[in-house]
């Protein structure tokens, strides 16, 4: 079968052996996969490792075969892949043994994938294959950050720096679904327009004076994945006693901030990564109840995977980038 792999320091399309389902496992014939920033960063982390690794964390397809002792799904079922491995019940932090699909385990940028039967869930009927294929990683990350860690509720005001990322597009929709007010930022005027269309109540230019622009607003919750470039600016607009959730650092991992000002303000800082199977099921119920759709920016074929990587590196997308497998 065809797969897009990282091998000997290079990205390439390669023929590899078809997977076989063992006990408790399923083989999924993938229809669509979703590209994430994590995938783009993995080649640098692996460097010149010789073994071929199939990249990709997100995907959706049809159960091709099942191994012994599998009862929760059957051949022909339409499913999405849960990229959060070995994290079943909601907990304060991932358990020992937690990994994200696509490294070190082979991922979804292939015609088929074998994985535990516990790692698939029924595809929401209202989603297209493209939408289902890009759903899980970003939506699960956003769901945990917003609900489990952020404890958002109706009437809250949520501030989200960086409107164009895949997770941000889910955050906007999820927060609006439960009656929260949403404020986002972007330096790109087209992304500002798209965020407004998606439901954001206030859209700011990244270069503007956020404190001045929001002096009449009370921000209850900040959800930030940018890191050093926005952390202190975000903290400036957060109300005293407010919550800030961090799930990424696309600029820099290290942040300096005034600790005395932080504890006098009694701010609450939370880290968040991905989510459990329990939260994935809750997220799927949420999007089905509200008929929420992922925001799709562009779809490439599997043969164009390297081109898709380059496109994501440019950072011009609004929403998710998909790979058509079949």
């Amino acid at each position: 079968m065809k797969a897009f792999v990282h091998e000997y320091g290079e990205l390439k399309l390669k023929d590899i052996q078809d997977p076989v389902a063992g006990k408790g496992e399923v083989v999924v014939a993938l229809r669509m996969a979703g590209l994430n920033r994590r995938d783009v960063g993995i080649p640098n982390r692996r460097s010149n490792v010789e073994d071929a690794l199939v990249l990709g964390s997100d995907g959706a397809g049809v159960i091709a075969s099942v191994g012994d002792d599998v009862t929760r799904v059957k051949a022909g079922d339409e499913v999405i892949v849960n990229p959060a491995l070995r994290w079943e019940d909601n907990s304060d932090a991932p358990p020992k043994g937690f990994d994200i699909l696509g490294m070190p385990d082979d991922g979804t940028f292939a015609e088929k994938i074998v994985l535990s039967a516990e790692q698939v869930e029924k595809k929401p009927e209202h989603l297209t294959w493209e939408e289902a294929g890009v759903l899980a990683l970003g939506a699960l990350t956003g769901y945990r950050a917003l609900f489990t860690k952020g404890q958002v509720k109706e009437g809250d005001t949520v501030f989200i720096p960086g409107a164009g990322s895949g997770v941000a597009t889910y955050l906007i929709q999820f927060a609006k679904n439960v009656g929260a007010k949403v404020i986002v930022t972007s330096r790109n005027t087209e992304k500002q327009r798209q965020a407004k269309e998606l439901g954001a109540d206030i859209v700011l230019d990244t270069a503007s004076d956020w404190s001045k622009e929001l002096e009449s607003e009370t921000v209850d919750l900040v959800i930030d994945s940018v890191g050093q470039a926005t952390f202190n600016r975000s903290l400036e607009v957060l109300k005293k006693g407010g919550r800030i959730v961090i799930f990424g650092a696309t600029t820099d991992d290290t942040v300096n901030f005034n600790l005395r000002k932080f504890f006098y303000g009694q701010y609450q800082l939370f880290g968040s990564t991905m989510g459990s199977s329990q939260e994935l099921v809750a997220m799927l119920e949420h999007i089905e109840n509200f008929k929420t759709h992922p925001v799709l920016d562009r779809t490439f074929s599997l043969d164009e995977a390297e081109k898709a990587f380059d496109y994501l590196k440019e950072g011009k997308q609004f929403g998710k980038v998909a790979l058509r497998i079949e």
Side-chain angles (χ1 to χ4, degrees), residues 56-307:
S57 301
D58 273 328
V62 177
I63 299 291
S65 62
V66 301
D68 293 340
D69 296 341
V70 173
T71 58
R72 68 190 303 264
V73 291
K74 64 184 184 304
D77 285 353
E78 298 181 347
V79 297
I80 66 166
V81 172
N82 176 5
L85 302 178
R86 298 174 287 276
W87 185 3
E88 296 179 5
D89 297 326
N90 187 8
S91 53
D92 290 338
K96 185 178 180 180
F98 165 74
D99 278 311
I100 300 173
L101 188 66
M103 192 179 83
D105 304 67
D106 280 333
T108 56
F109 296 167
E111 293 177 317
K112 293 179 182 178
I113 185 173
V114 62
L115 67 173
S116 166
E118 303 301 320
Q119 294 298 140
V120 296
E121 298 292 341
K122 180 183 176 183
K123 170 185 169 290
E125 293 182 0
H126 74 287
L127 298 185
T128 65
W129 279 114
E130 281 180 308
E131 292 170 336
V134 303
L135 176 69
L137 188 145
L140 177 57
T141 299
Y143 188 91
R144 180 173 174 84
L146 187 65
F147 294 105
T148 305
K149 296 291 189 176
Q151 294 290 302
V152 71
K153 61 184 184 299
E154 183 178 2
D156 279 353
T157 296
V158 183
F159 181 72
I160 307 165
S165 74
V167 177
T169 59
Y170 292 120
L171 288 168
I172 294 168
Q173 295 182 87
F174 292 170
K176 293 303 297 179
N177 287 345
V178 298
K181 186 174 185 177
V182 175
I183 304 169
V184 301
T185 72
S186 177
R187 63 172 54 87
N188 184 292
T189 55
E190 178 60 17
K191 289 184 181 182
Q192 292 171 13
R193 181 192 66 77
Q194 291 171 304
K196 194 74 174 176
E197 282 188 358
L198 193 58
D201 298 282
I202 298 174
V203 181
L204 304 180
D205 191 294
T206 301
S208 68
D209 185 335
W210 296 352
S211 296
K212 183 177 180 180
E213 295 275 3
L214 300 177
E215 58 186 358
S216 62
E217 300 292 334
T218 301
V219 176
D220 302 283
L221 171 64
V222 171
I223 301 185
D224 193 335
S225 65
V226 181
Q228 185 187 69
T230 56
F231 181 86
N232 281 298
R233 298 181 69 195
S234 296
L235 202 56
E236 285 291 331
V237 303
L238 182 63
K239 75 175 186 180
K240 297 288 180 65
R243 305 176 300 284
I244 180 166
V245 180
I246 307 295
F247 69 88
T250 55
T251 51
D252 199 306
D253 293 350
T254 303
V255 174
N256 294 315
F257 65 100
N258 188 316
L259 189 59
R260 185 172 300 277
K261 186 176 180 180
F262 187 88
F263 67 70
Y264 271 126
Q266 302 208 19
Y267 300 104
Q268 303 172 71
L269 176 62
F270 299 91
S272 189
T273 301
M274 293 290 286
S276 62
S277 296
Q278 188 177 20
E279 288 164 302
L280 177 66
V281 171
M283 181 274 289
L284 292 173
E285 290 177 354
H286 178 96
I287 69 165
E288 289 189 286
N289 288 340
F290 290 97
K291 293 296 180 282
T292 302
H293 291 265
V295 177
L296 279 163
D297 179 271
R298 189 168 172 183
T299 301
F300 296 83
S301 69
L302 182 60
D303 292 341
E304 299 173 310
E306 194 163 358
K307 184 178 178 182

